[in-house]
Amino acid sequence: QGGCSRPAGPGNTSGGKADGRPRIALVMKSLANEFFATMADGAKAHQATAGNRYELITNGMRSETDVSEQVTLIEQMVARGVAAIVIAPADSKAIVPALKRAADAGVLVINIDNRLDPEVLAEAGLKAPFVGPDNREGARRAGEAVAKQLDAGDEVAIIEGIVTAFNGQQRALGLEDAATAAGLRIVARQSGQWEMEKANGIAAAMLSEHPALAAILCANDSMALGAAAAIEASGRRVLLSGFDNVPAVAPLLADGRLAVTVDQHGDRLAVEGIETALAILAGAAAPEDRTTPVDLVTGKP
Amino acid sequence: MSAPAGAVVLRAEGISKAWSTPVLDRVSLDLRGGEVHVLMGSNGAGKSTLAAILGGLVPADAGQMTLGPIPHAPRSRAAAEAAGVVMVLQEMNLFPGMSLAENLFLDRLPSRFGLVDRATLHRRAVVALERVGLGELDPRMPLARLGVGKRQLVEIARALDRRCRVLILDEPTAALSARESDLLFDHIRRLVSEGVSVVYVTHRLDELPRIASRVSVLRDGRFVAEHLGGNVAPGRLIEEMSGRASPQGSAAASAPAGDVVLAVAGLERGARVRKVSLEVRSGEVVGLAGLVGAGRTELLRTIFGADPASAGSVRVGDGRAGLLRSPRQAVAAGIGMLPEDRRHDGLLLGQSMRVNALLLPGQPRARSGWIDRPAERRAAEAIRTGMEVDCTSIEQPVGQLSGGNQQKVVLGRWLAAGCRVLLCDEPTRGVDAAAKGTIHRLLREFVNRGGGVLLASGELAELRAICDRVLVMAGGRIVAEFERGWSDEAVTAAAFESAVPTSVEKAGHSS
Amino acid sequence: MNRTRLGEWGVLVFVWLGLVALFGTLADHFLSATTLTTVASRLPALAVVAAGMTLVIIAGGIDLSVGSVMALSGAVLGVAIVQWGWPLAAAIPVAILTGALAGLGTGLVTVGLGIPSFLVTLGSLEICRGLTYAVCDSRTLFIGAAIRPLAQPMPILGIPPTVPVALAVVVAAQAILSRTVFGRHLVAIGASEPAVRLAGIDTSTPRVAVFVLSGALAGLAAVFASARLGSADPNAGAGLELAAIAAVVIGGTSLSGGSGSVVGSLLGVLVIATLEAGLAQLGASEPLKRIVTGGAIIAAVAADALRRRWEGERG
Amino acid sequence: MNRTRLGEWGVLVFVWLGLVALFGTLADHFLSATTLTTVASRLPALAVVAAGMTLVIIAGGIDLSVGSVMALSGAVLGVAIVQWGWPLAAAIPVAILTGALAGLGTGLVTVGLGIPSFLVTLGSLEICRGLTYAVCDSRTLFIGAAIRPLAQPMPILGIPPTVPVALAVVVAAQAILSRTVFGRHLVAIGASEPAVRLAGIDTSTPRVAVFVLSGALAGLAAVFASARLGSADPNAGAGLELAAIAAVVIGGTSLSGGSGSVVGSLLGVLVIATLEAGLAQLGASEPLKRIVTGGAIIAAVAADALRRRWEGERG
Ligand SMILES: Nc1ncnc2c1ncn2[C@@H]1O[C@H](COP(=O)(O)OP(=O)(O)OP(=O)(O)O)[C@@H](O)[C@H]1O
Ligand SMILES: Nc1ncnc2c1ncn2[C@@H]1O[C@H](COP(=O)(O)OP(=O)(O)OP(=O)(O)O)[C@@H](O)[C@H]1O
Ligand SMILES: [Mg+2]
Ligand SMILES: [Mg+2]
């Protein structure tokens, strides 16, 4: 198909259909993040097995925090003439205006993974069905699983993700909920910026500063891996929890160095978003927001 | 010196070279065993280019060279040196942060398994330094502690240490004092007596009788004349170099001195400038003489506010006496300066002559900071004509101009600014005889219009040609003053008698 | 000089056309008005930051703090509108002023203490990011309707009003550089600061001023970015400094100072934005994106180096 | 020269002691063996990267790609051990070789085309990151027991074996710099490359070699980091280049080349690591951490500038 331009704008019904197949864009956060790499793989596998029902374009940002780059991606997808954008927002507020512009151009918007802020959606007058997990609930359950092995009054520490990230904040809140409910004392709480290396340094510092520390609760598995190394270097026995269930933590779960992690089934998340989009494009009514299941994966006790 | 006796050692025939324009046009030169062959010519005549071709630094576009019986076509300086042709460059290529020893032997550091053998290195360095009369220096001290003159000696020592049949010296004495030049000449004579042949590039006519066996003159890249022996009439040489008759009469047609335009009182800066007081009157060119490191450069910079003074005062004309805290204040008060290192401190080499000539606080401008381009071009053209700057257009980058023309641009800038006092630090270093004459004449015209000049120079002939009075500096102090009619011996004696070794170099020893 | 400029720009325009042709062939809707609009709307923030960066680099410095300063200005803008309820017309000058003040701090430390600006801005990069988090409590501030008009495509042209503003800034910066005494002094300082000082010209003021300008332009970029996002994002501008430096250098400005042009930097920004747009429309994989982007930077600079060598040989 | 060196290092040691005293007062358990172990085990990776960076900067270049090269080497190490089942003894040389090859590429492009290394490494930073994602499919590789022993504290000393190795590398790099012909040529090249070329010395080989060395040391750092973390992380080393440059410059090496010392850089690394550890033990908030880190960089460089000025005035 040559490079000739085809108008792709508001009201252009043929837009987004190449060879009659709808073209769907999956816009994620950083593909440098394993979780999204898994998500992209799941979507590609689905596209291949679903008998080429649709055409898929996947895109992620260079860095998880560069919201403006995600906005660029949204704009480029509109320019590319997609029928639907399935998006895992890098920020629950800042990309709403761009999505609204996309919707105005006739593109269907499906929200996955990280829920867009309802107030902002209302203000912008945008409707975007949500399919995704409840991060706060997932984290709360992971925290609860750790708390069960501890006594009230025990000292715990939380390593948060990037403090500005919405899912990071949700997970930190969930961990906090669990600790408070079980009467644990949160003696330290710092951001590991989602990074293994940073979390390793912070965990090491927490371990020296708090000799009685009984558990470290991490907001993702990368940071849990870093913390696990710090715990091992200290020679102490400290409980550890993660989030995401990336393949790399399997050995840690197997020998109990990681007590628990949370699987939100990233590969299925994107697929469900895409299925929702296809259904609506085929004429179905927009479904209610749907929370996908999160599963605890526990290690050897 | 005796007439050349030996056989031809190095022969160059029909050498041509073009950069953006032709620089050398079928030049031939032969060098006999045990002779000092002096190359003269105006700035840009092609002397350095010819020397660089001989020394393997740049390839010729056409022509052949033979060294003894074999063809000489060095692909690099190292190759030329291996063949016995060693060159001292005009621009110094040294490393201020590294030690003297390393500077001398950088390309052949004595080593075992890649490790530098420091003991051997320092032993050899002491020997090499002794050859140029710097034997008392610690070879481990960084080169940065030496002044320009001594650095030049280090550069020469570097060449002298190599076994060579041909030594090429490109303006080696431009930065040397009389005493150091004498020392260098002694060396050259010794080498020549050992059979070494020397190609010697200089602008100083007074050196010819002392060392030249033969003088070749280049003009605009062509060979124009050759003289046997060093006793050539200066007027004739200047005519050959410039292609026109030399200007008659000295520039120093002195006008009666007027009011004081610059008064310096009790100026101090650490150990380098000590309680200096002096006056320059309108209509007067006052010279500053002294050995290398006497503190002339420091004094001029301190007066100008480029280096902070610790005490004293400076007054311009009827202005207020006080210290100038920055060049900006100095310029506002009516002082201008031609710095010693004009390439680095005086000019923006990559920028056009227009930009450089008007690099002043009060640039031609129309309103609220916008440059008035036509006015600017007119001003630049005026400077170009007034200063007789030789450039293809006012848009030519000054880096491409010859030394003399570069200096005229800086001078023109200050004259255009309307300053009353000019501080000139070695204003004609590396400048050819014709341009030197022009610069001297322009300075003279400036004082005749009511200005005053304070001029530091290492060349007594220059001081004699232009100065009404000469102050002699040593160890940061003014130690003597001479009116017109002084003798070289008297000035040199004054500089020596009071010469105190500088504390800086002592510190180098003790570390 | 003008011939050289044209040569420089010629190479860039050529590279850019090559990219457009390439992506036009590979992606079916690349050659469309919408692509143009999206590329255009991406330009303003990077273009004004690159303009400021060009002046800083020409004057012999570098400003690594632009990304953080942009985030800080954005946070102040957001807080002013959302929390203090200021009108946009009052909040925008305050955001720009914030950037200018950050630049003033950088400039004063750099010039006052005589430290390389690379290091000072390496420090202020961290400081401003910290301040940003503190100002907006590490949360994205949704500004909403108050600012979005700035980012809405205008009726006929199809581009948002930020684009002409940014172009005007670039033209103004180029004019400052080549037509004013201040600009002339900046170039001279970048070529040789001692020579300028010894010519009796005050070098401290322009050296500080250029950082103030760069900061103010980062503040303006924050306004553009906030308009596009409808929000103030505390993580905005991460890595912006490298993108801006890449644009400036692709645009032919020498990293060692003393020469360059703002218009060239704009072309650099255009090349980068087009590359980004094309790769996104193709849905290129992350590794491929990185490799192509990196290769493009090297290729652009190499092409320029070869052009220079070739021109040098022809004389 | 030696006096100056001592002066330089004196300031740093003083700054470092100040930090230790400060954190010792503010945090309950800062002055403890555990803290020492923590700080010591974090040093090696940054220290060897900073050593390579020091040589590159002294030779007049800069290497922005170290972080990505480290990630790439780590990915290769991880794949070799986990997927190909290679023994550690075989995987480590391959990881280091990977870094060296990346450095070779950078060096050849930089020297061959005569482009500033800032730009070439800005490009190779992206390329190597892309390759890293490609090599390990964007996934963290858990290496585990195979590599952990390298990072376990040794019985009596309480520090992991990576520490003495890193110290040996630093000492060797310093010796190369100040005692070998290669090192002296690097210094001279940094001071004035044309002058070295005119002296008849081949400058291309050392200039390429220094990038190879920097790459190889980034590869070694990958081994250290993987040992400490027990995993190979494709996102490792983000921002490492800035930390290394900060350490080098805090350590007294001039960014414009031609002078500096590797030992100084080690002190710089120590200051940075101590600051990080102290802030983490205090549980400082993210904004505060940023502000303090940025302020510390500026303060360290300012202190050094003031010391120089003061020494300059005394003569
Ligand atoms: N590398 C170069 N590239 C371009 N032009 C050059 C180069 N080197 C010299 N030139 C030009 O060649 C001409 C001759 O220069 P050269 O240095 O040989 O003159 P010179 O006789 O040594 O002058 P001076 O007395 O000033 O040292 C000059 O016009 C100069 O600008
Ligand atoms: N920046 C510096 N650092 C150390 N020593 C210096 C510095 N500048 C000058 N000196 C030394 O101070 C002394 C005075 O130098 P100055 O340049 O003023 O002498 P001068 O009479 O002008 O001689 P020259 O002919 O070398 O210019 C010299 O010994 C010089 O080596
Ligand atoms: Mg010459
Ligand atoms: Mg002097």
Side-chain angles (χ1 to χ4, degrees):
Chain A
Q1 61 220 30
C4 65
S5 61
R6 211 178 331 159
N12 170 25
T13 44
S14 75
K17 304 225 169 150
D19 322 329
R21 292 181 297 154
R23 181 180 283 171
I24 294 181
L26 174 61
V27 177
M28 290 158 293
K29 293 201 240 174
S30 176
L31 286 178
N33 181 331
E34 236 182 296
F35 178 72
F36 294 102
T38 308
M39 184 184 280
D41 287 352
K44 283 179 188 152
H46 178 261
Q47 195 269 346
T49 54
N52 277 337
R53 272 191 295 145
Y54 61 100
E55 192 185 337
L56 178 70
I57 305 174
T58 58
N59 262 302
M61 301 136 61
R62 283 174 49 81
S63 131
E64 216 159 298
T65 53
D66 192 352
V67 179
S68 94
E69 198 195 344
Q70 199 174 38
V71 169
T72 304
L73 292 176
I74 294 167
E75 290 172 349
Q76 294 311 338
M77 291 306 101
V78 175
R80 187 75 203 274
V82 299
I85 292 178
V86 177
I87 184 156
D91 188 289
S92 49
K93 298 171 185 163
I95 67 152
V96 173
L99 289 174
K100 170 71 174 142
R101 287 195 289 271
D104 290 348
V107 177
L108 172 67
V109 176
I110 309 289
N111 176 199
I112 60 171
D113 180 40
N114 181 13
R115 193 186 206 122
L116 292 168
D117 191 297
E119 276 176 38
V120 175
L121 281 176
E123 198 261 17
L126 175 68
K127 284 206 187 327
F130 173 71
V131 182
D134 184 338
N135 274 286
R136 184 166 181 169
E137 175 61 15
R140 193 193 60 74
R141 284 173 54 201
E144 208 175 51
V146 170
K148 264 191 228 134
Q149 304 181 38
L150 298 175
D151 302 322
D154 278 354
E155 294 187 355
V156 298
I158 296 177
I159 301 186
E160 302 175 59
I162 288 178
V163 288
T164 51
F166 181 72
N167 59 344
Q169 291 161 0
Q170 290 296 307
R171 291 180 193 180
L173 284 175
L175 294 172
E176 209 179 293
D177 292 345
T180 324
L184 305 176
R185 290 203 305 135
I186 302 174
V187 292
R189 175 176 183 161
Q190 286 182 61
S191 165
Q193 308 283 107
W194 294 136
E195 287 173 31
M196 189 190 294
E197 167 73 33
K198 289 244 164 59
N200 177 268
I202 287 167
M206 286 171 163
L207 289 165
S208 1
E209 191 61 15
H210 304 286
L213 199 63
I216 298 180
L217 311 175
C218 299
N220 78 356
D221 280 349
S222 243
M223 297 193 295
L225 280 165
I231 293 170
E232 203 176 326
S234 76
R236 304 232 304 262
R237 167 120 187 93
V238 176
L239 289 173
L240 183 64
S241 80
F243 203 109
D244 283 345
N245 191 30
V246 301
V249 297
L252 296 185
L253 286 167
D255 61 17
R257 276 177 287 173
L258 182 64
V260 61
T261 185
V262 179
D263 195 337
Q264 1 174 27
H265 307 289
D267 48 345
R268 294 213 324 256
L269 211 54
V271 173
E272 299 207 17
I274 291 168
E275 289 289 4
T276 309
L278 288 172
I280 298 176
L281 287 175
E288 288 296 299
D289 289 354
R290 196 155 55 84
T291 307
T292 53
V294 291
D295 294 329
L296 281 193
V297 183
T298 47
K300 201 185 70 156
Chain B
M1 289 211 57
S2 61
V8 172
V9 174
L10 180 64
R11 185 191 297 276
E13 275 174 323
I15 301 289
S16 295
K17 177 78 194 171
W19 294 113
S20 42
T21 53
V23 169
L24 288 178
D25 183 10
R26 283 161 288 152
V27 174
S28 297
L29 178 95
D30 52 14
L31 184 65
R32 292 171 184 278
E35 77 163 340
V36 177
H37 193 145
V38 174
L39 275 183
M40 297 205 72
S42 308
N43 288 130
K47 306 179 295 292
S48 296
T49 306
L50 180 58
I53 289 171
L54 298 176
L57 275 91
V58 293
D61 294 343
Q64 300 91 40
M65 298 186 284
T66 49
L67 184 64
I70 50 170
H72 177 61
R75 292 168 156 269
S76 68
R77 188 184 191 184
E81 286 180 352
V85 180
V86 174
M87 170 159 186
V88 174
L89 276 76
Q90 179 176 13
E91 306 291 331
M92 272 185 273
N93 286 288
L94 297 171
F95 306 92
M98 306 185 79
S99 73
L100 299 185
E102 286 174 330
N103 270 288
L104 287 167
F105 294 98
L106 191 66
D107 58 331
R108 41 191 189 139
L109 292 168
S111 66
R112 223 175 299 144
F113 314 117
L115 279 180
V116 177
D117 176 356
R118 292 189 174 185
T120 311
L121 173 65
H122 292 145
R123 214 171 41 243
R124 287 195 199 156
V126 170
V127 175
L129 287 170
E130 262 165 9
R131 264 195 216 124
V132 291
L134 295 178
E136 82 281 10
L137 294 183
D138 182 341
R140 283 167 300 187
M141 83 191 245
L143 181 87
R145 296 238 182 91
L146 300 186
V148 181
K150 289 193 174 146
R151 290 187 195 187
Q152 180 74 64
L153 288 176
V154 171
E155 177 102 19
I156 292 168
R158 187 179 166 278
L160 292 184
D161 193 73
R162 278 147 221 262
R163 298 175 60 79
C164 60
R165 293 164 69 189
V166 175
L167 179 65
I168 305 167
L169 296 164
D170 195 356
E171 299 196 40
T173 50
L176 298 191
S177 71
R179 185 174 69 108
E180 290 158 337
S181 298
D182 289 345
L183 203 66
L184 177 66
F185 291 160
D186 288 345
H187 262 292
I188 293 178
R189 288 191 198 103
R190 208 202 68 231
L191 287 170
V192 164
S193 71
E194 290 166 7
V196 173
S197 311
V198 177
V199 175
Y200 187 99
V201 181
T202 187
H203 285 298
R204 293 192 177 179
L205 298 170
D206 57 332
E207 292 177 349
L208 300 186
R210 302 175 59 195
I211 56 155
S213 329
R214 231 172 356 148
V215 180
S216 286
V217 181
L218 290 181
R219 184 172 73 227
D220 299 333
R222 294 210 183 83
F223 178 86
V224 287
E226 186 184 81
H227 306 274
L228 266 191
N231 289 313
V232 192
R236 178 149 174 227
L237 269 179
I238 292 178
E239 211 177 307
E240 285 168 357
M241 286 191 283
S242 62
R244 54 176 183 258
S246 65
Q248 290 301 306
S250 147
S254 70
D259 303 334
V260 173
V261 286
L262 175 72
V264 175
L267 197 66
E268 293 208 43
R269 168 166 168 76
R272 307 222 187 90
V273 178
R274 300 177 180 185
K275 283 219 173 21
V276 169
S277 300
L278 58 85
E279 285 187 347
V280 177
R281 294 174 173 276
S282 114
E284 218 184 14
V285 178
V286 176
L288 277 177
L291 302 178
V292 167
R296 292 163 296 177
T297 296
E298 286 274 336
L299 172 60
L300 294 182
R301 285 179 58 91
T302 309
I303 295 174
F304 195 57
D307 291 330
S310 42
S313 76
V314 173
R315 183 168 58 80
V316 182
D318 305 325
R320 212 169 45 82
L323 278 181
L324 299 168
R325 301 273 173 209
S326 67
R328 192 168 152 223
Q329 288 183 7
V331 173
I335 307 184
M337 179 158 98
L338 305 185
E340 182 175 37
D341 182 355
R342 65 174 167 262
R343 293 175 70 82
H344 183 248
D345 291 339
L347 293 164
L348 313 171
L349 294 178
Q351 307 279 326
S352 65
M353 178 270 168
R354 168 178 54 87
V355 167
N356 275 281
L358 299 169
L359 189 66
L360 281 168
Q363 238 174 356
R365 60 184 85 166
R367 225 174 300 130
S368 48
W370 293 87
I371 293 175
D372 178 349
R373 293 209 170 177
E376 192 194 35
R377 269 196 293 278
R378 279 195 302 276
E381 289 289 0
I383 291 176
R384 181 185 174 188
T385 0
M387 293 289 125
E388 301 167 23
V389 179
D390 186 7
C391 52
T392 57
S393 85
I394 56 169
E395 299 304 327
Q396 189 177 15
V398 288
Q400 293 176 5
L401 303 186
S402 71
N405 283 306
Q406 290 180 345
Q407 195 68 287
K408 286 186 218 163
V409 172
V410 185
L411 186 57
R413 176 205 290 168
W414 292 122
L415 298 188
C419 65
R420 296 197 63 192
V421 178
L422 267 180
L423 309 176
C424 304
D425 198 352
E426 307 283 358
T428 62
R429 175 177 289 173
V431 167
D432 67 60
K436 195 174 192 171
T438 313
I439 290 172
H440 286 172
R441 197 187 75 233
L442 291 166
L443 287 175
R444 186 43 70 184
E445 285 169 14
F446 168 70
V447 299
N448 287 345
R449 286 195 305 269
V453 169
L454 184 59
L455 182 150
S457 175
E459 216 181 322
L460 292 179
E462 168 162 54
L463 294 173
R464 180 185 314 289
I466 186 171
C467 297
D468 300 294
R469 275 191 296 142
V470 171
L471 306 173
V472 182
M473 278 192 86
R477 288 179 221 277
I478 294 192
V479 294
E481 176 169 351
F482 294 90
E483 296 292 332
R484 251 181 200 295
W486 43 268
S487 68
D488 286 7
E489 290 70 28
V491 168
T492 311
F496 265 110
E497 266 165 32
S498 335
V500 241
T502 63
S503 55
V504 185
E505 283 164 21
K506 271 204 209 133
H509 269 300
S510 60
S511 73
Chain C
M1 184 170 153
N2 281 328
R3 215 190 64 200
T4 321
R5 271 292 148 69
L6 283 184
E8 251 171 58
W9 295 344
V11 170
L12 276 179
V13 170
F14 191 78
V15 167
W16 181 71
L17 288 176
L19 283 177
V20 170
L22 180 73
F23 291 127
T25 321
L26 295 178
D28 52 8
H29 283 79
F30 190 79
L31 298 174
S32 69
T34 336
T35 302
L36 181 74
T37 313
T38 57
V39 171
S41 72
R42 169 87 172 115
L43 284 182
L46 186 54
V48 298
V49 169
M53 184 72 85
T54 310
L55 296 187
V56 172
I57 290 179
I58 285 179
I62 200 157
D63 188 350
L64 300 181
S65 70
V66 284
S68 304
V69 171
M70 174 173 128
L72 180 59
S73 299
V76 170
L77 182 80
V79 168
I81 297 179
V82 178
Q83 295 180 5
W84 307 338
W86 286 20
L88 192 62
I92 288 179
V94 170
I96 295 176
L97 192 69
T98 305
L101 282 177
L104 182 66
T106 300
L108 287 178
V109 173
T110 306
V111 176
L113 293 174
I115 318 178
S117 52
F118 189 98
L119 299 168
V120 178
T121 55
L122 195 60
S124 53
L125 170 160
E126 292 287 326
I127 295 177
C128 290
R129 186 65 68 182
L131 289 176
T132 307
Y133 289 161
V135 165
C136 64
D137 197 18
S138 305
R139 301 254 187 289
T140 302
L141 287 162
F142 184 72
I143 305 176
I147 198 169
R148 244 175 296 146
L150 289 185
Q152 292 297 346
M154 293 183 295
I156 301 157
L157 296 166
I159 50 171
T162 50
V163 176
V165 175
L167 286 180
V169 168
V170 168
V171 171
Q174 179 67 54
I176 287 177
L177 186 66
S178 49
R179 305 264 159 162
T180 68
V181 175
F182 170 63
R184 173 68 57 81
H185 286 178
L186 286 184
V187 177
I189 289 169
S192 169
E193 201 267 342
V196 180
R197 200 161 10 94
L198 285 178
I201 295 168
D202 169 27
T203 59
S204 306
T205 313
R207 284 176 68 206
V208 173
V210 78
F211 282 103
V212 174
L213 201 62
S214 170
L217 288 177
L220 182 61
V223 176
F224 294 166
S226 304
R228 194 149 165 270
L229 301 176
S231 320
D233 168 19
N235 289 312
L240 182 66
E241 62 284 357
L242 292 186
I245 293 171
V248 170
V249 182
I250 289 176
T253 294
S254 152
L255 257 188
S256 46
S259 80
S261 79
V262 185
V263 173
S265 303
L266 180 65
L267 288 176
V269 169
L270 199 61
V271 166
I272 290 179
T274 306
L275 194 64
E276 259 181 13
L279 289 172
Q281 290 207 12
L282 287 180
S285 74
E286 188 64 20
L288 188 67
K289 270 187 196 170
R290 299 281 186 144
I291 294 172
V292 171
T293 310
I297 293 176
I298 295 181
V301 187
D304 194 56
L306 293 176
R307 179 190 62 76
R308 268 172 227 257
R309 195 176 290 181
W310 184 73
E311 279 194 0
E313 264 166 26
R314 279 193 329 162
Chain D
M1 184 169 153
N2 284 327
R3 214 186 67 202
T4 321
R5 273 292 149 71
L6 283 184
E8 251 170 58
W9 295 345
V11 170
L12 277 179
V13 171
F14 192 80
V15 167
W16 182 70
L17 288 176
L19 282 179
V20 171
L22 180 74
F23 290 126
T25 322
L26 294 178
D28 296 341
H29 298 273
F30 189 78
L31 299 175
S32 67
T34 348
T35 305
L36 180 74
T37 313
T38 312
V39 172
S41 69
R42 286 182 71 72
L43 286 182
L46 187 53
V48 297
V49 169
M53 185 72 84
T54 311
L55 297 187
V56 172
I57 291 179
I58 285 178
I62 199 157
D63 189 350
L64 299 181
S65 69
V66 284
S68 304
V69 171
M70 175 172 128
L72 180 59
S73 298
V76 170
L77 183 80
V79 168
I81 296 178
V82 177
Q83 296 181 6
W84 307 338
W86 286 20
L88 196 60
I92 289 179
V94 170
I96 295 176
L97 192 70
T98 305
L101 283 177
L104 182 66
T106 301
L108 287 178
V109 173
T110 307
V111 177
L113 293 174
I115 318 178
S117 52
F118 189 98
L119 299 167
V120 177
T121 55
L122 196 60
S124 53
L125 171 159
E126 291 288 321
I127 295 177
C128 290
R129 186 65 70 184
L131 290 176
T132 308
Y133 291 150
V135 166
C136 65
D137 197 19
S138 303
R139 299 200 196 289
T140 304
L141 289 161
F142 184 75
I143 305 177
I147 200 169
R148 289 289 299 161
L150 289 185
Q152 286 303 339
M154 292 183 294
I156 301 159
L157 295 165
I159 51 171
T162 50
V163 176
V165 175
L167 286 180
V169 168
V170 168
V171 171
Q174 178 67 57
I176 286 177
L177 186 66
S178 49
R179 304 265 158 168
T180 68
V181 176
F182 170 63
R184 301 321 289 163
H185 286 179
L186 286 184
V187 176
I189 289 170
S192 169
E193 199 267 342
V196 180
R197 211 156 7 93
L198 273 182
I201 298 168
D202 166 32
T203 58
S204 305
T205 313
R207 284 176 69 207
V208 173
V210 78
F211 282 103
V212 174
L213 201 63
S214 170
L217 289 176
L220 182 62
V223 176
F224 293 166
S226 305
R228 184 158 53 82
L229 301 171
S231 320
D233 173 10
N235 289 311
L240 181 69
E241 64 284 357
L242 292 186
I245 293 171
V248 169
V249 182
I250 288 175
T253 295
S254 154
L255 257 189
S256 46
S259 81
S261 79
V262 185
V263 174
S265 304
L266 180 65
L267 289 175
V269 169
L270 198 63
V271 166
I272 290 180
T274 307
L275 191 66
E276 254 184 19
L279 288 172
Q281 290 210 12
L282 284 180
S285 71
E286 190 63 23
L288 187 66
K289 272 188 196 166
R290 300 281 188 138
I291 294 172
V292 171
T293 309
I297 293 175
I298 295 181
V301 187
D304 192 56
L306 292 175
R307 177 190 62 76
R308 268 170 226 254
R309 194 176 291 184
W310 184 73
E311 280 193 1
E313 262 167 29
R314 278 194 329 164

